[in-house]
Amino acid sequence: MSEKEFGQKWDRCLADCAVKFGTGLGLGIVFSVVFFKRRTWPIVFGTGLGLGMAYSNCQNDLRSRYVLHSKVAKEQ
Amino acid sequence: MEGRDLAGEKFRKFPHTNAANPCLLRCFYQCVCGKVKAHPLQLCRRYSTAGDSGSTAGKIVAASLLTVGGGLGGTILYAKWDPKFRANVEKSVPYSDQLFEMALGPPPPPLVTLQKKPGKIEPLQISSLSEASKESKQPKAKAKKSDPAPVEAPAAVEEAPAPTPQTLKDEECKDHHEPVLKERPAEEVTARLAQQDKAEQDALAALTAGLEESLGSTAKTTLQAIGAQEAALTAIAAHTNKLKEAMDSQTPPDEKSSQWKALNEALSERTRAMEEAEEALLKAKGELENLSGVINSSKQSKINTARPQILAAEENLHSMIVDLDKVVTKVQTAQTEAKIVSQYSELVNEAKAQFQQELANITPEIQANWKRLSGKLSADDLNSLIAHAHRRIDQLNRELAEQRVREQIHIEVALEQQKLEDQKALERAVVSALEHSREDMRLEQEKKAQEVREVMEAEMRTQLRRQAAAHTDHLRDVLKVQEQELREEAQEILNSKMMEQETHYRRLTQEQLDTFTLDMNAAYARLKGIEEAIDSHVIAEEEARKAHQLWLSVEALNYTLKSAGADFPTEPLEGAVGVIKENCAGNEFAQALATAIPEESLSRGIYSEASLRARFFDIRRLARRVALIDETRNSLYQYFLSYLQSVLLFEREQVAPPAKLAPEDLDTFKLLAYANYSIERGDLELAAKFVNQLRGESQRVAQDWLKEARLTLETKQVISLLSAYANAVGLGTTQAP
């Protein structure tokens, strides 16, 4: 059903968002603790990174129908 | 730093505001030059905005008015100078043409190349056309006017070959009254031509008579004059001879007196002859003048045939003049000779008289008759006489010597004089000879012209004759052709009439035959009809049975449709459709319909309307949420906006769709409202149509639903057709009791 597809996409999106957020946060904490002397900015940076990736993935997924695929024709 | 950048950006964007804010402008320039820091700029700005708000507005208004006025004025001035620009502006700006008309006056008219009028060619063409019909027109026009004198008619006819366009045009105007040129009857033409010829002849005769008369008289008088001149000549010669004889003193004295008498007679004779000659010359000259006058008038009358006579007359005139002149010169030379001789005689007489006088002086006693000198004279007288004679001789010798000396001079002077006189005479002679030769040339020229003219006339006559011959040939041919055509026409008419009669007869016979055949056919047809009626009864009953079966199977199919549940489709319709196909094996329409049912419904079954309705609500909700999304707008932010829109947009859930769909109705929300309304009223088809109009993501979302709806609608349509058909067939085959 085409109407269900929309909902499925959103589910994937949110799940992906959560995963990436968590991963970003975690990695940020790790890096902050290990390399950057417990500063805040790596955490924020990591989180932002994660959210950004999730946003981008979500958008691409929702856009996937409208993207035009092209191939470079081989010269003969 | 920020303040400075902002100011710079502001001025780059809005250059017109510099006039309004001079303080800012100054600051801007200073900033560009990089001399002033940011703070004074802010202060400046604050001060300027606090103080001059009122006047700056006024300045702005004034500046804008000035620019607008300047632009308008400039446009008007340029339009005045350049009409093309004016036209462009009038085209592009709506009411500018009225403005321009008010300011500048109406626009200048566009230049149109003047076409050369070919009007002048027509009258010339007409004149050239009418040239061909000259002969018939001229007499006709003449007939309309009163008949002119016969002399004028030939003159007019003679002038016809060279008419002026003016007279032609006048004739054209006159002839407008009768635009059709009737051909005059041949007799009239010939009569007119004969009349013209006769008139010409008469004129010619008159002219020649006149010419001859004058010629004759002139010749007579000229001959008379010549005779008189010659007589004068002879008289002069006789007189001169007589004088010479008288001078010659060798004749005896007796005869001297008779000589002198004769001399006197001769002199008187001479004078008389001279007078007569003068008279005759005058008369002759008068006659010659007359003749030349007559010749001129006859030349002006322009009758061609008289030309040779005129020429002959001219020649005669010329020869007469020449003769007269010759004779006159002869007379003049004789006269000069006579003068010389008379002068000589005078001189001699003078000398003699002088001598006698001297002698008389010396010897007074002696009388004039000194011939008897020898008897009466004494020795003294003789001596004195001799002395006188000697003296005289000496004197004469001296004179002679002087004379001889002066002779040369005198001879030279005389020669000069003679030369002058000779020259004058020569000139006179040359002039007269020149005139004579000129006259000769002119006469020759005229003779030659006359000859050429005659030749041309002869040629023209031959050409005309040829043309007449060609014309008669052509007429003959045309008549032959016409005869042929008429004969053929008559033949055709005859044939057609014959054919008509034949066809009429044939038709009558055919009609009789047809009526008989018709009766026979009617009887046969009735027999056949009866047989067919019986057969069709049998067939009809068969059909009725079949129809009944079809109807039953269609009902079975309808029943299967009812087996749909809430969320799952019906049973596959294969079985029922197969039964139908079996039952209506021979019926093409039903077969076609049965095969038209879509595959999907046969294999899988279709959803009921109720389930579709339920599903539609979900679709609607979703479609509303993604209403803004399509190929161009599909970022996550757009999704958010779309959701926001769907939440914030308040509208009626069901809206009655209009009869005609306007473009603004193709909005997603409206379409969904229409579809909702239709589906609530049970019109799935209309709802499907509206849902089909969705675009973008909404369309994709509703795709499946639409597919199902289509399927259902198709199957239902086919089934309803089948049942309608079955009913119809059943109705058709049932017979009323």
Side-chain angles (χ1 to χ4, degrees):
Chain A
M1 309 294 191
S2 53
E3 61 262 28
K4 296 214 165 64
E5 186 191 326
F6 188 66
Q8 283 166 1
K9 277 190 185 168
W10 269 112
D11 290 341
R12 276 205 301 270
C13 204
L14 285 171
D16 190 43
C17 184
V19 163
K20 292 218 165 44
F21 178 77
T23 315
L25 187 69
L27 274 175
I29 289 170
V30 163
F31 269 85
S32 154
V33 158
V34 170
F35 295 116
F36 293 111
K37 299 168 195 162
R38 293 175 184 259
R39 293 239 189 104
T40 341
W41 68 265
I43 300 170
V44 172
F45 185 67
T47 315
L49 216 59
L51 277 173
M53 284 199 285
Y55 183 90
S56 182
N57 272 349
C58 198
Q59 193 166 279
N60 276 339
D61 192 17
L62 285 167
R63 257 189 200 173
S64 61
R65 286 279 175 179
Y66 296 110
V67 168
L68 296 167
H69 298 280
S70 64
K71 274 190 222 170
V72 177
K74 283 190 192 161
E75 281 186 42
Q76 292 182 356
Chain B
M1 200 144 96
E2 277 181 9
R4 197 197 300 171
D5 285 340
L6 271 173
E9 222 186 88
K10 189 173 179 178
F11 278 120
R12 255 179 264 117
K13 270 197 202 166
F14 306 103
H16 301 295
T17 55
N18 54 6
N21 242 328
C23 193
L24 254 172
L25 172 68
R26 213 184 321 127
C27 294
F28 168 62
Y29 276 133
Q30 284 174 341
C31 290
V32 163
C33 295
K35 285 179 190 167
V36 174
K37 288 180 277 181
H39 291 291
L41 170 69
Q42 284 173 350
L43 279 170
C44 188
R45 198 192 299 169
R46 220 177 294 140
Y47 284 151
S48 63
T49 46
D52 316 287
S53 57
S55 66
T56 48
K59 278 183 190 159
I60 290 170
V61 165
S64 55
L65 273 175
L66 207 67
T67 41
V68 165
L72 265 175
T75 323
I76 288 175
L77 274 172
Y78 189 62
K80 187 170 179 179
W81 186 65
D82 186 7
K84 270 195 211 158
F85 172 73
R86 179 174 174 167
N88 277 340
V89 169
E90 278 180 10
K91 255 195 288 184
S92 49
V93 178
Y95 289 101
S96 59
D97 56 350
Q98 287 180 10
L99 178 71
F100 278 135
E101 212 167 313
M102 224 169 33
L104 301 171
L111 289 169
V112 172
T113 54
L114 295 168
Q115 289 175 354
K116 284 183 188 166
K117 301 209 169 134
K120 288 260 159 56
I121 302 170
E122 280 180 346
L124 287 171
Q125 280 181 346
I126 292 168
S127 71
S128 68
L129 269 172
S130 63
E131 275 280 344
S133 58
K134 181 61 62 202
E135 296 303 318
S136 60
K137 245 212 220 173
Q138 275 279 353
K140 200 169 144 210
K142 290 282 185 311
K144 294 286 182 270
K145 308 170 196 165
S146 59
D147 265 356
V151 180
E152 284 180 7
V157 167
E158 282 302 310
E159 279 185 24
T164 58
Q166 194 58 43
T167 54
L168 201 59
K169 270 191 188 160
D170 293 341
E171 283 187 12
E172 276 290 317
C173 292
K174 277 178 197 148
D175 280 342
H176 278 316
H177 300 303
E178 58 259 14
V180 178
L181 280 173
K182 307 186 289 267
E183 200 176 307
R184 296 170 62 76
E187 305 91 33
E188 240 181 302
V189 169
T190 48
R192 175 54 78 171
L193 279 171
Q195 200 178 2
Q196 277 172 0
D197 282 338
K198 200 164 68 82
E200 202 181 310
Q201 292 273 352
D202 290 342
L204 186 68
L207 200 70
T208 46
L211 267 173
E212 283 198 20
E213 210 184 285
S214 50
L215 250 176
S217 67
T218 320
K220 220 173 28 177
T221 44
T222 318
L223 280 169
Q224 263 182 12
I226 289 172
Q229 295 277 0
E230 286 193 352
L233 197 69
T234 48
I236 290 166
H239 173 71
T240 318
N241 280 340
K242 287 246 166 53
L243 198 60
K244 271 196 200 142
E245 273 183 29
M247 289 303 107
D248 195 12
S249 56
Q250 286 182 2
T251 53
D254 307 326
E255 290 181 26
K256 265 281 190 232
S257 56
S258 59
Q259 255 190 357
W260 285 115
K261 254 193 255 169
L263 194 65
N264 280 338
E265 275 177 27
L267 182 66
S268 58
E269 179 80 27
R270 174 187 156 176
T271 45
R272 196 180 50 81
M274 290 287 289
E275 277 171 19
E276 269 184 19
E278 286 285 331
E279 257 183 54
L281 184 70
L282 278 169
K283 250 204 318 192
K285 280 225 164 84
E287 282 292 324
L288 284 168
E289 294 271 343
N290 271 354
L291 180 64
S292 62
V294 166
I295 287 172
N296 282 340
S297 68
S298 63
K299 264 197 221 171
Q300 277 172 1
S301 70
K302 286 197 181 180
I303 299 176
N304 282 341
T305 46
R307 261 180 210 287
Q309 279 136 345
I310 292 168
L311 271 173
E314 272 186 353
E315 270 180 29
N316 283 338
L317 177 72
H318 177 61
S319 59
M320 278 191 268
I321 289 171
V322 165
D323 287 338
L324 255 176
D325 284 339
K326 267 193 229 162
V327 163
V328 164
T329 45
K330 263 194 232 166
V331 165
Q332 274 175 356
T333 47
Q335 265 186 333
T336 47
E337 267 187 42
K339 218 190 312 179
I340 290 169
V341 172
S342 68
Q343 270 181 359
Y344 169 68
S345 74
E346 271 177 33
L347 270 171
V348 165
N349 280 342
E350 220 183 283
K352 271 196 193 160
Q354 202 178 8
F355 186 64
Q356 228 174 1
Q357 215 176 15
E358 281 179 10
L359 211 60
N361 286 340
I362 294 169
T363 55
E365 320 77 57
I366 311 284
Q367 299 303 310
N369 199 1
W370 52 276
K371 290 217 174 112
R372 285 190 302 229
L373 217 52
S374 56
K376 286 204 177 155
L377 287 173
S378 60
D380 283 332
D381 287 332
L382 269 169
N383 285 339
S384 60
L385 197 63
I386 288 163
H388 175 74
H390 277 297
R391 252 183 280 132
R392 187 84 175 138
I393 285 163
D394 284 334
Q395 191 201 4
L396 281 172
N397 279 339
R398 257 182 278 136
E399 267 186 20
L400 191 65
E402 261 185 54
Q403 203 61 32
R404 277 213 188 99
V405 166
R406 283 198 202 135
E407 202 186 307
Q408 203 63 33
I409 297 167
H410 281 314
I411 280 174
E412 277 174 18
V413 167
L415 267 174
E416 289 286 335
Q417 266 191 354
Q418 194 61 33
K419 262 192 213 160
L420 280 169
E421 279 187 24
D422 275 344
Q423 219 167 7
K424 275 189 207 152
L426 183 73
E427 275 172 20
R428 274 205 296 276
V430 161
V431 160
S432 64
L434 209 66
E435 289 234 2
H436 289 158
S437 67
R438 211 178 279 144
E439 196 62 30
D440 276 336
M441 300 272 277
R442 196 180 59 81
L443 287 171
E444 247 187 71
Q445 194 188 19
E446 289 217 13
K447 254 196 256 178
K448 285 215 175 79
Q450 181 66 18
E451 279 170 21
V452 167
R453 201 175 283 125
E454 279 171 15
V455 166
M456 286 298 141
E457 287 255 356
E459 242 190 76
M460 197 171 83
R461 274 199 207 96
T462 50
Q463 295 293 349
L464 280 172
R465 251 183 265 130
R466 261 192 224 148
Q467 224 176 14
H471 181 63
T472 47
D473 280 340
H474 174 66
L475 276 177
R476 210 180 300 138
D477 290 336
V478 164
L479 279 171
K480 257 194 229 159
V481 166
Q482 262 189 346
E483 190 193 320
Q484 202 84 7
E485 276 175 18
L486 284 169
R487 200 166 285 171
E488 278 176 19
E489 244 185 76
Q491 194 70 27
E492 262 186 53
I493 291 170
L494 179 70
N495 286 345
S496 65
K497 284 273 187 265
M498 289 281 294
M499 295 267 290
E500 255 184 63
Q501 286 303 109
E502 262 192 57
T503 47
H504 184 66
Y505 172 69
R506 277 214 197 102
R507 199 159 28 95
L508 284 172
T509 47
Q510 195 67 32
E511 268 178 30
Q512 265 188 327
L513 222 69
D514 284 340
T515 42
F516 177 65
T517 324
L518 223 69
D519 290 336
M520 287 295 292
N521 283 341
Y524 185 68
R526 277 174 66 193
L527 183 66
K528 277 281 166 206
I530 290 163
E531 283 180 12
E532 267 183 39
I534 294 167
D535 286 334
S536 63
H537 263 290
V538 168
I539 292 166
E541 274 176 28
E542 182 68 32
E543 288 291 315
R545 197 183 54 79
K546 274 193 192 160
H548 203 60
Q549 273 193 318
L550 181 65
W551 186 82
L552 279 170
S553 44
V554 168
E555 279 303 305
L557 184 60
N558 264 329
Y559 188 72
T560 54
L561 279 181
K562 292 198 186 119
S563 66
D567 278 325
F568 49 88
T570 60
E571 287 170 9
L573 306 174
E574 263 184 290
V577 171
V579 168
I580 289 173
K581 279 191 186 164
E582 275 176 39
N583 279 336
C584 57
N587 199 336
E588 276 177 20
F589 185 63
Q591 285 284 335
L593 282 177
T595 46
I597 295 180
E599 269 302 309
E600 196 62 34
S601 65
L602 291 177
S603 52
R604 194 204 57 181
I606 54 174
Y607 282 94
S608 66
E609 258 190 56
S611 58
L612 283 172
R613 249 182 63 198
R615 206 166 142 193
F616 179 75
F617 289 118
D618 288 330
I619 298 290
R620 179 173 166 273
R621 202 159 37 113
L622 201 51
R624 283 180 94 245
R625 279 206 197 136
V626 295
L628 219 50
I629 310 297
D630 60 14
E631 302 92 27
T632 52
R633 283 194 267 259
N634 50 19
S635 69
L636 219 52
Y637 177 60
Q638 297 290 342
Y639 273 98
F640 169 66
L641 285 179
S642 179
Y643 179 74
L644 200 62
Q645 184 189 45
S646 77
V647 163
L648 291 176
L649 196 73
F650 295 107
E651 58 164 7
R652 274 201 285 263
E653 282 194 18
Q654 298 176 21
V655 175
K660 272 191 196 172
L661 214 59
E664 59 261 17
D665 292 332
L666 297 177
D667 175 41
T668 312
F669 297 100
K670 277 224 179 81
L671 282 169
L672 288 169
Y674 294 152
N676 203 5
Y677 181 88
S678 326
I679 214 166
E680 282 300 312
R681 304 292 179 285
D683 193 352
L684 183 61
E685 191 185 338
L686 197 57
K689 282 186 191 166
F690 283 128
V691 167
N692 194 25
Q693 296 300 322
L694 289 171
R695 294 280 171 263
E697 186 72 26
S698 318
Q699 187 194 27
R700 279 202 25 244
V701 150
Q703 206 66 9
D704 271 349
W705 183 88
L706 199 57
K707 196 171 72 135
E708 290 299 327
R710 275 208 196 105
L711 209 60
T712 309
L713 283 168
E714 266 183 53
T715 319
K716 282 237 166 88
Q717 190 182 35
V718 172
I719 288 169
S720 68
L721 269 173
L722 270 172
S723 68
Y725 176 68
N727 282 333
V729 166
L731 270 174
T733 50
T734 46
Q735 292 169 5

